[in-house]
Amino acid sequence: MLDKQSRIYVAGHRGLVGSAIWNNLKARGYEHLIGRTHDELDLTDQAAVRQFFDEVQPDAVVLAAAFVGGIMANSLYRADFIMQNMLIQCNVIGESFRHGVKKLLFLGSTCIYPKNAPQPMKEDCLLTSPLEYTNEEYAIAKIAGLKMCESYNLQYGTDYIAVMPTNLYGPNDNFHLENSHVLPAMIRKIYLAKLINENKWDLIRKDLAKRPVEGTSGEESSQAILDVLARYGIYNNKVILWGTGTPLREFLWSEDMADASVHLLLNVSFSDIIGIEKYSSVFYGVSTDGTVSRDSSKGRGGALPQLGEIRNCHINVGTGKELSIRDLSELVAKTVGFNGCVEFDSSKPDGTPRKLIDVEKLHRLGWKHRVEIEDGVKMLFDWYREDLHSQS
């Protein structure tokens, strides 16, 4: 297990989840944290990643870095979503193994599950039927990542844990309209429609200066700004959202996700996970002559057919609760104080009809969520507005 002197590399430490994990570890007294921005370390560059691991020699790794986005981005950048994520995962997981990292936590996504998976989705419904087409490439990359962790554990006795969080939201979220997820995009769209109606152009311009839309940074004419916002369904006191509003979604506050991640990183081993299912909590060792022992210090040394099939060792992380996109829009409108009109464009894709995960395994491992969606939406809107007003 890790102690307070352990060197922990958090890949993606500036992102939504990575920053929350970093802060959670700090709060627990882990001071030897290692982070690199994308400018400092390109995780798709194998040589650069190897040199980094040679230099810092981390004891543990949290792989929270990924190439991410919402329905629009997934549809537009399909090649990027599979290639960028596969490169990041292969480089980081490969170098973790090569450098003898004691513990690795891999963050995936519940989009790994089939489009029509039985609800709530248990871990063992993975690869049972086709994926949702609009995010197929990202899902395949994340499935590959969790299978890498599982396979290294089974062959080499490593301790790599894969967690599959539901839809996340929280401080440092991505509010860029071209590639943001549903909740931050909804908050920003509804807030901008409210500001347009209230003629608060100083705040509208500050918003676009902070997060330009298609290169429009707030310095343009009011009409030019209105034109670009209209392309994203943002009008005077009216917002048009994609789809029918009927899909059901589950949301988890990012700081809750961070707490769950750190709990699993510090307190749960791969042997605990397979032990929960049906197997011994002691890894089998294999000597050079093929003799099987129960010396956990040796690791497995090779997959053992006599243990049967070990799969779906990843862990769902979520709340086990859901609401429709339409209900979410009403909650956001109420939180923002928006009295205008929210419409849905049914000609646009809905994505997966329902994505509720089963969190029984997570609860058995000793963790439950704290923040409910009503409180979380308010906290995220407060964070967004404070971030906007904090600009000079």
Side-chain angles (χ1 to χ4, degrees):
M1 287 296 181
L2 304 174
D3 58 36
K4 297 296 175 62
Q5 301 306 311
S6 298
R7 298 182 303 279
I8 304 175
Y9 167 47
V10 181
H13 74 294
R14 294 280 185 86
L16 173 64
V17 184
S19 62
I21 290 174
W22 181 285
N23 293 335
N24 190 289
L25 284 165
K26 279 278 191 182
R28 293 174 187 245
Y30 289 83
E31 296 293 336
H32 301 283
L33 304 182
I34 303 161
R36 295 290 186 274
T37 65
H38 176 73
D39 289 340
E40 294 169 331
L41 175 63
D42 179 359
L43 293 178
T44 66
D45 184 335
Q46 184 180 28
V49 174
R50 178 167 295 186
Q51 182 179 357
F52 167 74
F53 272 78
D54 287 343
E55 292 172 356
V56 303
Q57 297 289 327
D59 298 304
V61 170
V62 175
L63 181 43
F67 186 82
V68 299
I71 259 185
M72 183 183 294
N74 273 275
S75 299
L76 292 174
Y77 310 117
R78 302 183 74 90
D80 290 340
F81 270 92
I82 193 166
M83 181 61 76
Q84 298 290 326
N85 284 297
M86 288 294 293
L87 286 171
I88 291 169
Q89 293 163 192
C90 287
N91 290 339
V92 174
I93 295 173
E95 292 307 320
S96 294
F97 174 70
R98 191 171 288 107
H99 288 80
V101 164
K102 297 176 186 175
K103 196 75 177 283
L104 181 142
L105 186 76
F106 170 74
L107 277 71
S109 165
T110 53
C111 72
I112 62 168
Y113 293 120
K115 177 176 182 176
N116 297 313
Q119 304 288 320
M121 299 180 290
K122 293 181 178 290
E123 287 85 354
D124 60 8
C125 73
L126 179 68
L127 297 176
T128 56
S129 61
L131 299 164
E132 159 61 38
Y133 179 75
T134 57
N135 60 14
E136 192 174 43
E137 282 71 21
Y138 183 73
I140 288 172
K142 289 303 177 181
I143 291 169
L146 76 86
K147 284 295 182 182
M148 285 182 212
C149 294
E150 191 175 276
S151 299
Y152 270 102
N153 291 341
L154 293 174
Q155 182 171 347
Y156 296 111
T158 51
D159 199 1
Y160 301 166
I161 293 179
V163 295
M164 300 298 123
T166 188
N167 300 288
L168 300 173
Y169 67 105
N172 299 310
D173 215 330
N174 176 13
F175 287 84
H176 290 272
L177 295 180
E178 289 109 315
N179 59 7
S180 60
H181 284 135
V182 59
L183 182 48
M186 191 182 290
I187 286 176
R188 188 181 182 193
K189 287 178 178 182
I190 290 175
Y191 186 50
L192 282 170
K194 179 176 185 284
L195 293 179
I196 293 171
N197 180 253
E198 295 173 349
N199 205 33
K200 293 183 177 178
W201 281 95
D202 56 333
L203 288 177
I204 294 170
R205 293 182 185 281
K206 287 182 72 174
D207 182 281
L208 269 69
K210 180 80 173 182
R211 299 173 180 87
V213 180
E214 294 184 5
T216 301
S217 61
E219 298 178 356
E220 295 78 4
S221 68
S222 298
Q223 189 58 52
I225 291 173
L226 290 173
D227 289 344
V228 74
L229 292 181
R231 291 199 284 274
Y232 292 86
I234 304 166
Y235 302 92
N236 183 346
N237 224 30
K238 183 174 82 169
V239 171
I240 300 177
L241 302 175
W242 276 29
T244 63
T246 59
L248 296 165
R249 291 292 181 269
E250 175 183 9
F251 295 92
L252 180 67
W253 183 245
S254 61
E255 292 172 338
D256 269 359
M257 173 58 194
D259 195 64
S261 299
V262 174
H263 170 79
L264 295 170
L265 179 72
L266 300 180
N267 301 301
V268 175
S269 295
F270 181 71
S271 55
D272 299 321
I273 298 168
I274 61 175
I276 285 173
E277 302 299 328
K278 59 182 177 179
Y279 296 106
S280 168
S281 62
V282 178
F283 282 116
Y284 287 74
V286 183
S287 63
T288 54
D289 63 2
T291 304
V292 178
S293 72
R294 293 176 62 85
D295 182 355
S296 62
S297 66
K298 294 180 180 178
R300 291 181 61 94
L304 300 177
Q306 57 265 48
L307 290 181
E309 294 184 352
I310 300 177
R311 58 176 52 162
N312 301 328
C313 303
H314 56 284
I315 304 165
N316 289 338
V317 181
T319 65
K321 301 179 181 181
E322 63 186 345
L323 77 168
S324 72
I325 296 299
R326 185 177 296 276
D327 287 344
L328 178 66
S329 71
E330 292 173 0
L331 174 60
V332 170
K334 179 181 178 182
T335 302
V336 171
F338 178 70
N339 296 316
C341 177
V342 176
E343 298 178 359
F344 287 86
D345 181 357
S346 60
S347 69
K348 296 294 193 296
D350 268 332
T352 306
R354 191 182 181 200
K355 282 180 64 178
L356 178 66
I357 56 173
D358 184 293
V359 289
E360 183 182 354
K361 182 188 286 188
L362 178 66
H363 290 175
R364 288 202 304 262
L365 291 168
W367 190 89
K368 293 184 179 181
H369 77 282
R370 297 179 179 86
V371 177
E372 301 296 348
I373 186 67
E374 295 80 7
D375 297 323
V377 166
K378 183 180 185 305
M379 290 192 292
L380 182 58
F381 176 57
D382 288 345
W383 181 90
Y384 181 77
R385 192 164 48 178
E386 182 178 340
D387 183 63
L388 182 62
H389 284 274
S390 67
Q391 297 181 79
S392 57

